[in-house]
Amino acid sequence: MTVLASSEGTGGTLGATAELRSAQFRDIAAIMQREARIHLVEAKTTLVHSRLSRRLREHGLTSFVDYVALVERDAEERHAMVVALTTNHTHFFRENHHFDHLRREVLPKLQDRARRGEKVRIWSAGCSSGEEVYSIAMCLAGDGPTSAAWLQQGDVRLLATDISPPVVQAVRDARYSAATVEPIPESYRRRWMRAEANGDHVVADPLRELVAARVLNLFDTWPMRRKYDVIFCRNVMIYFDDTAKAELEARFVEMLAPGGTLYIGHSERLIGPAARLMKPVGQTIYARNDGGPA
Ligand SMILES: C[S@@+](CC[C@H](N)C(=O)[O-])C[C@H]1O[C@@H](n2cnc3c(N)ncnc32)[C@H](O)[C@@H]1O
């Protein structure tokens, strides 16, 4: 498959048309597989073309042959290409049944643990721009006058990680447009979002302080030393092939505390060793078989 489209440069060579032929698509797909285990099928040629056209323009290149050569020799551009080809679609309270389950089944156990002086750790893996981790934080904090006290009194931390530096920065900024905050239930929005004069909404400090946002490729070594009570990895594994999924899911199981809970995306499923070690406790919700407090 060859995709031909005119780039938006301002005349001269930058305005030339770059073709993405099968050979270069395959090179790009191989690099994505190697760098991020993202599995690109040829049906994505148009998408890859449109997302990378800007990278070509930034380097003043008019051919994907030259761009692939650049990416092969330049680690920084390789990373920029991976970032350009990630899909960061997300929204607050996406797949809301997960948050109902978290509040109803998991939160009371987490509160008990925190009150006993134990650490509580939650990980949003492949967090995109933070809507997921702040939805979790709002569920933990509740909307009552004292419902967040346990968070301040206990040792509760949320980790949000993504391969893409710009989205990790967005988690740190915690700033969202009026349209983006619409799915947040009104009582949470009133309590935990601060509206600014320009119409943006910023997450309140007590929630932001719970969250550490870090750049992390899920297929690299994980620097975290302690186990997690809850892991959300939703709508991330759809981009990986089965071998990568099975490997990653097995690592999540290992990273979960006994009885810990794993939430995955609506079109995802557990395969490989994870499928044996986890039991389903809800729609795309799994708990470690070995019981335990969370
Ligand atoms: C579609 S978003 C999902 C966001 C959120 N979890 C949700 O369900 O709304 C997928 C995220 O996974 C990240 N991602 C893809 N491959 C990754 C990898 N190898 N390591 C870490 N993050 C990755 C992307 O950068 C993107 O932000």
Side-chain angles (χ1 to χ4, degrees):
M1 184 180 186
T2 297
V3 168
L4 253 171
S6 178
S7 62
E8 295 156 16
T10 49
T13 52
L14 294 184
T17 300
E19 281 179 42
L20 178 52
R21 294 181 183 276
S22 290
Q24 283 72 53
F25 179 87
R26 281 197 298 274
D27 291 341
I28 290 167
I31 297 167
M32 289 301 287
Q33 184 67 237
R34 204 170 67 216
E35 298 288 319
R37 303 288 288 271
I38 291 176
H39 180 62
L40 286 177
V41 290
E42 209 156 338
K44 299 277 183 196
T45 302
T46 308
L47 179 91
V48 169
H49 182 277
S50 87
R51 290 200 183 166
L52 294 185
S53 288
R54 184 159 170 223
R55 305 283 335 136
L56 267 74
R57 281 201 302 280
E58 274 184 22
H59 289 282
L61 298 175
T62 54
S63 94
F64 275 94
V65 175
D66 293 343
Y67 183 68
V68 168
L70 170 67
V71 163
E72 291 285 14
R73 65 174 184 269
D74 181 339
E76 210 174 299
E77 185 54 35
R78 230 172 11 253
H79 186 55
M81 182 183 90
V82 170
V83 168
L85 292 179
T86 55
T87 295
N88 310 118
H89 175 78
T90 185
H91 56 82
F92 280 103
F93 290 89
R94 181 179 197 180
E95 298 177 47
N96 200 21
H97 65 279
H98 285 160
F99 300 99
D100 289 339
H101 181 272
L102 179 70
R103 264 187 303 254
R104 198 180 56 240
E105 305 293 335
V106 180
L107 176 60
K109 295 170 191 164
L110 299 180
Q111 289 173 324
D112 286 348
R113 295 192 51 177
R115 285 178 188 129
R116 287 199 300 270
E118 293 170 27
K119 295 180 195 303
V120 170
R121 296 291 180 268
I122 298 179
W123 181 15
S124 164
C127 60
S128 190
S129 36
E131 287 85 336
E132 180 174 271
V133 77
Y134 290 121
S135 300
I136 298 168
M138 286 181 213
C139 290
L140 302 185
D143 55 10
T146 58
S147 56
W150 74 282
L151 293 170
Q152 268 84 54
Q153 286 152 11
D155 181 352
V156 182
R157 297 279 175 275
L158 279 66
L159 172 68
T161 66
D162 201 283
I163 197 171
S164 166
V167 296
V168 170
Q169 187 55 46
V171 182
R172 294 185 183 134
D173 294 343
R175 173 179 294 277
Y176 300 96
S177 69
T180 305
V181 301
E182 256 170 41
I184 303 176
E186 175 60 27
S187 60
Y188 288 155
R189 212 182 326 154
R190 254 188 286 118
R191 191 154 172 73
W192 298 116
M193 303 299 295
R194 195 182 67 240
E196 300 217 319
N198 67 358
D200 282 355
H201 295 248
V202 179
V203 178
D205 287 346
L207 294 196
R208 289 176 67 173
E209 285 159 10
L210 294 174
V211 175
R214 302 275 182 269
V215 174
L216 178 70
N217 181 342
L218 288 168
F219 293 95
D220 285 348
T221 307
W222 297 348
M224 304 88 86
R225 271 166 306 156
R226 57 175 45 262
K227 304 259 180 187
Y228 280 73
D229 302 290
V230 178
I231 299 175
F232 278 67
C233 185
R234 307 183 311 157
N235 310 300
V236 179
M237 292 187 278
I238 36 171
Y239 302 106
F240 307 145
D241 64 22
D242 281 355
T243 310
K245 273 182 210 165
E247 194 184 302
L248 185 59
E249 288 171 356
R251 290 177 75 194
F252 283 139
V253 177
E254 246 180 71
M255 200 62 185
L256 276 172
T261 311
L262 174 66
Y263 295 89
I264 63 175
H266 63 100
S267 60
E268 295 160 338
R269 68 197 165 92
L270 292 190
I271 54 174
R276 289 191 299 279
L277 296 165
M278 303 288 286
K279 61 170 187 271
V281 292
Q283 192 189 335
T284 52
I285 309 170
Y286 299 86
R288 263 183 69 136
N289 272 335
D290 49 10

